[in-house]
Amino acid sequence: MDLEDDTSVLTTLKSFNSFISHTEAPQRLSEGSAGSGNLQSQYKRSMELMEAGERVHSNNRYLQLDGEKKQMELSHKRARYELEKVASDSARDLEHEVDRNQDLLGRLKKFQERETEAAKNLSEQVEANRALRKNMEALNRKLEERDTRLNTANQTISSLKDEIRELTQRIQNQDSTTSSQTLENQELQEQLDLQRRKHQEVSQLCQSLQATQSSCSEHIVKIKELELRLALQEQDIAIVKTVKSEVAKVPDLEKDLKRLREDNAFLRESRENCSLLKEEVEGLRRKLERMEKKKEELVNIELEKERLAEKLKAWENLGQSTGLNIRKPEDLSREVIHIQQREIALKEQNYTLSSRVRSAERSQNEHRAELCQQRSKTLEEQKKRETQDSLVRRLQKRVLLLTKERDGMRAILESYDSELAPTEYSPQLSKRLRESEDILQKTQSHNVEMEAQLTKAQEETGTLKLQLQTVELELESLKKHQASAADSNTSGTKEELNILRQKIEDLESERQRLEEQNNILEMRLERHNLQGDFDPIKTRVLHFKMNPVTVAKQQRQQDIDALREEVTRLSELVRSLQEGGAMVQGDSSINASLSLSLPPSKEVVDLRKQMESLELRNQRLKEVFQRKIQEFRTVCYVLTGYQIDITTENQYRLTSVYAEHMDDSLLFKKGSNGSMQLMETVFSKTLEEMMALHLHHQKSIPAFLSAVTLDLFSRQTTI
Amino acid sequence: MTSTLNGITLKGSAELVADFFSFGINSILYQRGIYPPETFSRITHYDMSLQLTTDPKLKNYLTNVVSQLKEWLFECTVQKFVLVITCLETNEVLERWQFDIDCDKSAKESSAPREKSIKIIQDEIRSVIRQITATVTFLPLLETPCAFDLLVYTDKDLLVPDKWEASGPQIIDQSEEVRLRSFTTSIHKVNSMVAYKRTDSV
């Protein structure tokens, strides 16, 4: 039927085309724009009619299908819901049916999709047609290009018509399939009705079974509880008995407890004491060790002290033995020098003394020799004197003789003179007289001479005697001296010599000792010299003012100062930071100065970054949560058919998709034990029947809600 | 140098000794690690390779001291020349390099050159510096940062110049002394020795 339709359309299109192509040329002049306008309106009307017809047709089909589908879905859902509670064999059948149903549903959906696609295509085509029509109008107005444009438009129209035909064909196909599906659906519905009835029966049976089972289980539970109670009571009795016996023991136990507590306290104290004692013991042990060490040190020190004391004593002995207060090496050296000087002085004295002794001996010998000489001289002198005495006597005698002779001569002479005349004998006599006188004179002079000689000799003897006396005195003194000298020289000198020798030996030994000491001291001095000691009297030590040591020390001091300053600054900073941490906002001035002086530490920066990222994450989580919640709610709404809102805490308002009014809602309240309770609303009042069945009898809120949904849905669809 | 090959004058002797001190101090500072070894450069003197500092401050200081020392050597008023190594942390004297100088003051009056060839003197100086280098083997290691000072023991009647001041002898407490070789220019006789702080471990 449909195919014929199509062919008729095609034939009409062909005839139309041929009509246009043939009749255009003769009619162009006569009819002109009016003819073309007629044709256009005709065409337009036919197209519109066709479209409207098609649209109405498809719409009807669609609505029908939709209704059917919805009904099917509903029935299917109900069937499934009921079938779930049916026994296993019926369930298997149901599942099979459900599978098939699902298949069918899938196919249905596919068909629906195809249908929608086709509808879309159709609308698109319609729109294109419209555009083309507009174009055609434009073409008609522009006469020159009209034919060609019309042709192309016709061609496009024909192609579009083809397409439309195809589409209609498809729709027809779909219609056939849908009709077959509706048939199937009807069959299924019948089956479903059957199964529903069965299910109701089964469910009733099931419910009764469940009721009995539940009552049975309750009874069993009660029995168990009672048994448990019995056992518990028996246990309690036993416990009570034991407790009673224990209660009897309680006072004793309390006493024991007290005692034990006291013991405990005592033990604790003793433990503390013990630890204290241990610490003390440890301390004492350490002390003991230290003391022992000290003792050893003490012994060493004492030994050293003794050695030093010995040394000191030796020194002091030295001092005492020498009778000098030698306390220091310098004293000693001074003493040594003194002693040496004294030694030298004594030596010198010794030498002088020995030399004096020798000189005294020599002088003694000389004196002796002199004495001998003097003795011999005196003897000689004595002899001389004796001789001179004898000579003097002889001379005196001679003088006497001479005087006597002279006197005799004179007498003679006088006698002569008197006797003889002076004339005869005078010359002779006078001559003789004269001669005698001369002789006399001579003798006299000789006498005088002799006397002078005598006096001289006497004087000489006197002097000699004096000399002798002095010599004798000297001799005596010498003798005395010699005696004393001999005394000392013999025994005394020997002793002296011995003493002196000893002294010399002593001095020599002392000298050697002192020399050794001197050497030691010199060595020490050398050592001191080596160590860098110096004589402050003669020497001074100089160094360059800006030497590396002072420079380095200054540098060091500066460094230390700088570091100290930095440390104080940093500690100040740390303190202020610590204080400022609590009241960062409080003292922004300090903070500012701090931030100026100290860039925020890496840690702080890191923490800040972390914080920012966390905040960002939080924000994102919030957004995601919101989105998810929204999504969840919409999904819930779509899947269950209820929009769930939380009006107040623990109160949930459910609004069905199929609610007839916006205010139709169910209100649930969540109890303290988690159970949900339906609150009364205007809408709930209309559902008394369902409430009685599902809530009071079946005690299932989901079942109730599903029932409400189904009810509302059925109401909506029936309308 | 004013000295001839065969003789030596007071001035030449003073210069020779001052040169020895300059090289000796450099050598000690290098050997004892008072200054980092990279601040020293190698030169050849006395027919041996020696280390000479390149640190400008140290160079300046040494030239100051050595030139003054040369004057005093010429005047024969120096008794000792001491290099003291001090620990900077404890201010403790750790080492003392002492050079006793015996001046023949008669050389001041008679300007006649002494007969001793420079070659022999330089041989003696070389052996002294070698011995200074060798002492590193027995001297204790300087573990802490140290600085050095140069002391000059002079006659009391000497006029103290500017930039110089009196100092203590910087004696080491509990020291070990080691005599080193000596050399003489026949005018100045230099006895070297080193004293170092006795360590408990020995």
Side-chain angles (χ1 to χ4, degrees):
Chain A
M1 191 177 91
D2 283 344
L3 279 167
E4 279 175 43
D5 260 358
D6 270 345
T7 47
S8 71
V9 168
L10 274 172
T11 48
T12 50
L13 195 69
K14 257 183 201 169
S15 62
F16 171 70
N17 279 339
S18 62
F19 169 70
I20 287 169
S21 57
H22 286 289
T23 53
E24 213 170 11
Q27 275 181 353
R28 195 179 284 170
L29 292 165
S30 59
E31 284 177 35
S33 56
S36 68
N38 238 346
L39 199 67
Q40 207 174 6
S41 62
Q42 258 180 8
Y43 174 72
K44 208 173 166 181
R45 215 152 35 99
S46 67
M47 286 304 285
E48 269 172 0
L49 278 170
M50 259 168 67
E51 270 171 34
E54 275 166 349
R55 222 180 289 162
V56 167
H57 189 68
S58 63
N59 260 347
N60 273 346
R61 279 281 164 90
Y62 172 73
L63 275 172
Q64 217 176 333
L65 274 171
D66 206 32
E68 275 168 358
K69 192 204 81 182
K70 271 177 187 171
Q71 252 177 337
M72 258 168 66
E73 268 176 352
L74 198 67
S75 61
H76 172 237
K77 268 181 193 170
R78 187 172 283 183
R80 206 165 58 168
Y81 170 71
E82 280 165 0
L83 277 169
E84 268 169 10
K85 286 176 185 178
V86 181
S88 56
D89 49 349
S90 65
R92 226 175 280 157
D93 283 1
L94 194 69
E95 272 171 15
H96 187 67
E97 291 301 323
V98 165
D99 284 353
R100 270 175 71 184
N101 205 351
Q102 275 177 340
D103 283 359
L104 288 169
L105 272 173
R107 274 157 78 181
L108 201 70
K109 269 178 192 169
K110 274 180 201 167
F111 287 130
Q112 279 175 349
E113 278 167 12
R114 270 191 211 168
E115 210 171 51
T116 49
E117 274 176 12
K120 267 185 205 169
N121 276 350
L122 203 68
S123 61
E124 278 170 13
Q125 290 302 331
V126 166
E127 276 169 12
N129 253 343
R130 271 182 200 154
L132 280 168
R133 248 177 277 150
K134 277 176 192 170
N135 274 352
M136 281 239 305
E137 280 171 5
L139 280 167
N140 284 337
R141 272 174 220 142
K142 290 174 189 175
L143 283 168
E144 291 172 356
E145 289 170 308
R146 201 171 59 180
D147 299 345
T148 50
R149 280 197 187 172
L150 204 63
N151 276 335
T152 51
N154 280 339
Q155 274 167 7
T156 48
I157 285 160
S158 62
S159 64
L160 280 168
K161 268 183 182 169
D162 285 347
E163 269 176 48
I164 288 157
R165 219 174 294 133
E166 274 171 38
L167 282 168
T168 46
Q169 213 170 335
R170 265 193 217 161
I171 287 158
Q172 277 163 0
N173 283 342
Q174 276 170 6
D175 280 349
S176 62
T177 49
T178 43
S179 61
S180 63
Q181 273 173 2
T182 46
L183 281 171
E184 269 174 37
N185 245 346
Q186 276 166 356
E187 272 172 46
L188 279 169
Q189 228 161 354
E190 279 165 17
Q191 269 184 356
L192 265 172
D193 286 339
L194 260 173
Q195 272 164 1
R196 213 178 284 163
R197 256 170 258 140
K198 269 184 194 171
H199 164 69
Q200 271 172 352
E201 281 166 26
V202 168
S203 65
Q204 272 168 2
L205 278 169
C206 267
Q207 274 167 4
S208 60
L209 195 75
Q210 274 174 350
T212 47
Q213 267 177 352
S214 62
S215 62
C216 241
S217 62
E218 272 171 24
H219 285 308
I220 286 160
V221 165
K222 264 184 190 173
I223 286 158
K224 271 180 189 171
E225 268 177 28
L226 284 169
E227 273 172 1
L228 269 170
R229 265 189 211 167
L230 204 71
L232 278 169
Q233 255 175 355
E234 273 169 12
Q235 277 176 2
D236 284 355
I237 288 157
I239 286 160
V240 163
K241 272 178 193 171
T242 52
V243 163
K244 264 181 190 171
S245 62
E246 270 172 18
V247 162
K249 283 179 200 168
V250 160
D252 290 342
L253 283 169
E254 271 177 1
K255 275 180 198 168
D256 279 0
L257 192 71
K258 242 181 220 174
R259 201 157 45 73
L260 285 167
R261 265 184 199 154
E262 279 167 14
D263 280 6
N264 226 347
F266 173 70
L267 282 169
R268 247 175 234 157
E269 276 175 19
S270 61
R271 200 180 63 186
E272 279 170 15
N273 281 342
C274 194
S275 59
L276 271 170
L277 284 168
K278 266 182 193 169
E279 274 174 28
E280 261 177 55
V281 163
E282 195 72 20
L284 284 168
R285 212 173 279 158
R286 266 184 235 142
K287 247 189 201 173
L288 194 73
E289 278 170 20
R290 262 183 284 148
M291 289 308 275
E292 272 173 7
K293 269 187 197 168
K294 272 193 184 167
K295 227 162 123 187
E296 279 174 27
E297 278 173 26
L298 199 74
V299 168
N300 285 336
I301 286 162
E302 265 179 18
L303 278 169
E304 212 172 326
K305 198 197 92 185
E306 271 174 29
R307 261 192 293 134
L308 287 168
E310 274 172 28
K311 261 193 194 172
L312 195 74
K313 217 175 257 176
W315 277 101
E316 274 175 0
N317 281 342
L318 198 74
Q320 277 173 356
S321 65
T322 50
L324 300 157
N325 54 340
I326 294 168
R327 289 282 177 274
K328 288 181 260 173
E330 288 155 31
D331 285 351
L332 189 77
S333 60
R334 187 162 42 77
E335 210 56 44
V336 167
I337 290 159
H338 270 258
I339 286 161
Q340 277 177 337
Q341 281 172 353
R342 260 170 59 196
E343 191 196 327
I344 289 158
L346 282 168
K347 265 186 188 168
E348 277 174 12
Q349 235 177 330
N350 199 1
Y351 286 135
T352 50
L353 278 171
S354 55
S355 64
R356 263 168 67 186
V357 165
R358 248 175 261 144
S359 64
E361 273 175 3
R362 222 182 296 138
S363 64
Q364 198 192 0
N365 288 338
E366 277 172 23
H367 281 304
R368 255 184 219 158
E370 219 176 321
L371 195 70
C372 290
Q373 256 183 314
Q374 292 294 339
R375 266 183 199 159
S376 58
K377 259 189 189 171
T378 45
L379 283 172
E380 272 175 34
E381 292 295 330
Q382 270 175 342
K383 272 178 196 169
K384 254 187 195 172
R385 210 179 62 184
E386 277 168 15
T387 51
Q388 273 171 351
D389 274 347
S390 60
L391 200 75
V392 165
R393 251 171 252 144
R394 260 187 294 156
L395 282 168
Q396 276 175 343
K397 271 174 193 170
R398 268 170 86 174
V399 166
L400 280 170
L401 280 171
L402 280 167
T403 50
K404 271 172 188 175
E405 215 177 333
R406 196 193 59 187
D407 288 344
M409 285 305 218
R410 251 176 210 171
I412 292 166
L413 263 165
E414 277 166 15
S415 59
Y416 273 139
D417 282 341
S418 52
E419 279 176 9
L420 292 153
T423 53
E424 308 179 342
Y425 304 108
S426 70
Q428 223 183 352
L429 274 168
S430 65
K431 208 186 165 185
R432 271 175 94 184
L433 193 70
R434 271 179 216 146
E435 274 179 7
S436 61
E437 272 178 353
D438 282 347
I439 288 167
L440 191 69
Q441 269 179 333
K442 270 182 189 169
T443 49
Q444 269 179 335
S445 65
H446 188 67
N447 214 359
V448 169
E449 208 178 305
M450 286 310 280
E451 270 174 5
Q453 258 187 357
L454 194 71
T455 51
K456 235 169 100 177
Q458 270 170 346
E459 273 171 15
E460 218 170 303
T461 49
T463 54
L464 275 170
K465 262 178 192 168
L466 276 170
Q467 251 185 350
L468 193 71
Q469 273 171 349
T470 54
V471 163
E472 264 174 0
L473 277 169
E474 212 175 325
L475 196 70
E476 264 172 41
S477 72
L478 270 171
K479 261 179 188 167
K480 272 180 199 167
H481 190 73
Q482 242 171 359
S484 65
D487 277 350
S488 57
N489 264 15
T490 50
S491 58
T493 47
K494 265 179 193 166
E495 274 173 30
E496 209 178 344
L497 208 70
N498 283 340
I499 289 162
L500 281 167
R501 249 176 220 158
Q502 209 151 5
K503 250 189 188 172
I504 286 163
E505 274 167 16
D506 286 354
L507 285 166
E508 195 70 24
S509 62
E510 208 177 345
R511 194 181 61 85
Q512 273 177 356
R513 204 160 48 76
L514 288 169
E515 219 163 64
E516 275 170 23
Q517 275 182 1
N518 204 8
N519 280 342
I520 290 163
L521 287 169
E522 263 176 12
M523 270 165 74
R524 273 192 200 167
L525 202 70
E526 170 75 10
R527 219 177 119 74
H528 274 295
N529 197 23
L530 281 181
Q531 283 177 352
D533 209 356
F534 63 100
D535 187 0
I537 299 159
K538 287 189 227 159
T539 314
R540 69 162 59 146
V541 182
L542 296 176
H543 72 152
F544 208 65
K545 267 181 198 164
M546 288 310 291
N547 57 63
V549 169
T550 48
V551 169
K553 276 181 188 167
Q554 277 173 7
Q555 185 68 37
R556 214 176 152 72
Q557 193 59 42
Q558 278 172 8
D559 285 358
I560 285 165
D561 288 347
L563 284 171
R564 249 182 222 151
E565 218 168 277
E566 203 174 329
V567 162
T568 50
R569 202 162 53 77
L570 285 173
S571 61
E572 193 88 1
L573 210 66
V574 165
R575 199 141 32 81
S576 63
L577 272 174
Q578 277 173 351
E579 283 168 2
M583 35 176 186
V584 179
Q585 285 85 19
D587 41 11
S588 58
S589 61
I590 286 172
N591 245 13
S593 68
L594 286 184
S595 62
L596 276 175
S597 60
L598 185 81
S601 68
K602 203 187 165 191
E603 205 178 353
V604 171
V605 171
D606 285 355
L607 283 168
R608 256 180 213 165
K609 271 186 192 165
Q610 230 172 329
M611 212 164 78
E612 274 167 15
S613 69
L614 279 170
E615 270 175 5
L616 202 70
R617 200 191 290 172
N618 244 347
Q619 194 69 30
R620 274 186 196 152
L621 277 172
K622 249 185 218 168
E623 280 166 17
V624 167
F625 278 139
Q626 249 166 359
R627 217 164 52 226
K628 280 280 161 191
I629 285 164
Q630 199 56 43
E631 193 185 321
F632 181 74
R633 281 186 66 178
T634 51
V635 166
C636 268
Y637 182 65
V638 168
L639 289 180
T640 62
Y642 281 106
Q643 187 182 345
I644 302 168
D645 299 309
I646 300 170
T647 52
T648 56
E649 204 170 348
N650 290 335
Q651 277 203 353
Y652 304 93
R653 193 179 64 206
L654 275 76
T655 316
S656 181
V657 192
Y658 310 112
E660 288 164 323
H661 304 287
M662 286 295 284
D663 304 334
D664 286 359
S665 61
L666 291 164
L667 203 63
F668 285 93
K669 188 182 178 184
K670 193 181 161 192
S672 56
N673 55 351
S675 67
M676 300 299 286
Q677 289 168 335
L678 179 65
M679 309 290 281
E680 200 183 63
T681 55
V682 180
F683 179 62
S684 72
K685 277 178 192 169
T686 62
L687 304 165
E688 294 283 326
E689 203 180 321
M690 281 184 218
M691 274 159 69
L693 175 64
H694 299 293
L695 293 179
H696 295 134
H697 187 63
Q698 293 176 341
K699 290 183 176 159
S700 170
I701 293 164
F704 169 69
L705 290 174
S706 305
V708 169
T709 310
L710 281 173
D711 184 43
L712 288 173
F713 179 70
S714 63
R715 260 192 249 174
Q716 223 175 33
T717 46
T718 49
I719 287 163
Chain B
M1 263 181 229
T2 55
S3 52
T4 60
L5 199 76
N6 295 322
I8 188 158
T9 57
L10 176 60
K11 199 176 177 201
S13 171
E15 268 179 41
L16 213 58
V17 174
D19 277 352
F20 159 72
F21 282 137
S22 177
F23 288 115
I25 291 160
N26 269 304
S27 189
I28 291 166
L29 294 179
Y30 174 76
Q31 295 293 342
R32 304 303 293 141
I34 309 298
Y35 286 82
E38 59 266 21
T39 62
F40 288 85
S41 67
R42 185 182 284 263
I43 55 127
T44 305
H45 202 267
Y46 303 128
D47 291 337
M48 65 192 291
S49 75
L50 293 165
Q51 302 287 342
L52 212 63
T53 185
T54 52
D55 186 338
K57 276 190 203 163
L58 182 61
K59 248 181 167 169
N60 186 31
Y61 170 69
L62 286 180
T63 42
N64 270 328
V65 172
V66 170
S67 59
Q68 182 60 58
L69 187 70
K70 205 185 283 180
E71 247 175 67
W72 283 331
L73 280 167
F74 185 64
E75 289 164 14
C76 288
T77 48
V78 194
Q79 294 171 1
K80 281 187 213 302
F81 182 68
V82 185
L83 190 157
V84 182
I85 293 172
T86 317
C87 173
L88 280 174
E89 279 171 15
T90 57
N91 278 343
E92 201 177 20
V93 181
L94 297 180
E95 271 176 39
R96 258 175 132 268
W97 296 79
Q98 184 168 303
F99 302 94
D100 296 351
I101 302 161
D102 285 339
C103 296
D104 187 357
K105 295 200 178 185
S106 67
K108 271 168 93 174
E109 279 89 49
S110 65
S111 59
R114 307 296 177 96
E115 281 185 12
K116 180 152 185 176
S117 77
I118 285 175
K119 197 170 162 51
I120 292 165
I121 295 165
Q122 281 191 348
D123 276 346
E124 285 175 4
I125 288 173
R126 187 158 54 227
S127 62
V128 173
I129 291 178
R130 285 233 171 86
Q131 217 178 10
I132 288 168
T133 308
T135 48
V136 179
T137 53
F138 65 79
L139 286 174
L141 202 69
L142 299 172
E143 283 157 337
T144 50
C146 293
F148 84 104
D149 192 4
L150 297 173
L151 308 180
V152 184
Y153 286 49
T154 63
D155 290 349
K156 191 80 180 171
D157 50 358
L158 188 91
L159 203 73
V160 181
D162 284 350
K163 295 189 185 176
W164 288 76
E165 62 182 6
S167 163
Q170 313 250 45
I171 294 170
I172 303 173
D173 181 37
Q174 289 194 324
S175 63
E176 293 272 345
E177 298 92 29
V178 178
R179 268 209 175 281
L180 304 177
R181 279 168 188 272
S182 60
F183 74 91
T184 176
T185 64
S186 76
I187 295 169
H188 295 102
K189 184 170 194 287
V190 179
N191 289 312
S192 350
M193 56 146 301
V194 57
Y196 57 94
K197 188 163 178 62
R198 203 179 300 158
T199 46
D200 299 329
S201 58
V202 179

